[in-house]
Amino acid sequence: DQWISEGFSQYFAALYAGKSRGEDLFNQLLRRMAQWARKEGDAGPISLGYRLGHIEGDSRVFRAIVYNKSASVLHMLRRTIGDEAFFRGVRQFYFEWRFRKAGTDDVRRAFERESGRPLKGFFDTWIDGFGTPQVAVTWVTTAGAASPAVVLRVEQRGRHHEFPVTATVRYAGGDTADHQIFVSERVAEFTLPLTG
């Protein structure tokens, strides 16, 4: 499964760039990778590896999906299970499988063990599936309630995906608050507390 070596190397190169040159560079790199992956995302799943773009003789498809989408998926996985479980999973996978042939299921099981949660749906969607989510987002405020909040509704259209997303609340004074949410249903609602 070629995505394992290429996706991890691409993601850890971005992590290194962020550590040595700042978080802004890391976020910029991730945005570029995700943008390129979305552009070529309908060409096939990550799991096709070198076969992507082969028929058309277009190596850009291979790079966009196997390198950039794989790195983006690893970042989504990290956000889904949290930093501690993600990096424990990386170490556990590495030490268990170094110098041996490993596959996608081995990667998934390492992260499942460390996070304590099932990840088959996530891996089916992002490694064996293709494309990116098409979503409609609406929101309402409950400003008059005892605990003011924003109710965010995310509706998936087309193919079903599971994915983390950052919802940013912007206040009139310019302050912002980020909320990590995980969309796993076709229609999901999230209540985000307001502090102003």
Side-chain angles (χ1 to χ4, degrees), residues 44-47 69 123-131 159:
I46 289 171
S47 59
K69 184 176 180 183
F123 275 75
D124 286 349
T125 298
W126 293 106
I127 303 299
D128 293 325
F130 60 94
R159 201 174 301 118

Side-chain angles (χ1 to χ4, degrees), residues 175-193:
D175 290 341
T176 61
D178 288 340
H179 301 270
Q180 300 296 319
I181 60 175
F182 187 77
V183 179
S184 60
E185 305 296 327
R186 279 218 174 266
V187 177
E189 285 192 357
F190 304 91
T191 301
L192 313 177

Side-chain angles (χ1 to χ4, degrees), residues 34-53:
Q35 183 178 28
W36 197 12
R38 277 192 305 272
K39 182 179 174 199
E40 302 294 346
D42 287 332
I46 289 171
S47 59
L48 281 179
Y50 71 89
R51 294 177 293 264
L52 291 162

Side-chain angles (χ1 to χ4, degrees), residues 2-162:
Q2 196 168 23
W3 79 269
I4 297 170
S5 61
E6 308 310 345
F8 275 102
S9 64
Q10 187 82 330
Y11 186 56
F12 280 102
L15 283 172
Y16 175 79
K19 209 58 151 160
S20 63
R21 307 227 354 239
E23 193 71 17
D24 286 344
L25 177 62
F26 175 70
N27 292 327
Q28 186 178 28
L29 289 170
L30 282 177
R31 277 192 300 276
R32 285 185 192 163
M33 285 189 272
Q35 183 178 28
W36 197 12
R38 277 192 305 272
K39 182 179 174 199
E40 302 294 346
D42 287 332
I46 289 171
S47 59
L48 281 179
Y50 71 89
R51 294 177 293 264
L52 291 162
H54 181 71
I55 292 172
E56 296 88 16
D58 189 352
S59 62
R60 290 174 303 166
V61 172
F62 169 77
R63 289 192 314 270
I65 295 174
V66 173
Y67 284 80
N68 293 332
K69 184 176 180 183
S70 295
S72 298
V73 167
L74 288 170
H75 187 63
M76 285 193 302
L77 178 62
R78 179 180 165 200
R79 290 176 59 204
T80 299
I81 65 175
D83 282 0
E84 288 184 25
F86 178 81
F87 289 109
R88 279 195 323 262
V90 168
R91 284 189 291 278
Q92 196 270 337
F93 173 73
Y94 173 76
F95 287 115
E96 182 177 347
W97 289 98
R98 64 183 171 176
F99 310 121
R100 298 186 313 155
K101 184 177 177 181
T104 298
D105 286 339
D106 303 311
V107 173
R108 177 182 49 81
R109 282 191 290 270
F111 286 114
E112 284 177 336
R113 276 194 296 272
E114 295 305 321
S115 68
R117 60 188 290 185
L119 295 169
K120 184 163 178 18
F122 182 89
F123 275 75
D124 286 349
T125 298
W126 293 106
I127 303 299
D128 293 325
F130 60 94
T132 53
Q134 302 299 314
V135 297
V137 179
T138 57
W139 57 274
V140 295
T141 59
T142 61
S147 300
V150 171
V151 178
L152 183 70
R153 178 183 164 97
V154 180
E155 181 181 343
Q156 294 194 55
R157 298 180 175 163
R159 201 174 301 118
H160 177 255
H161 290 77
E162 293 184 0

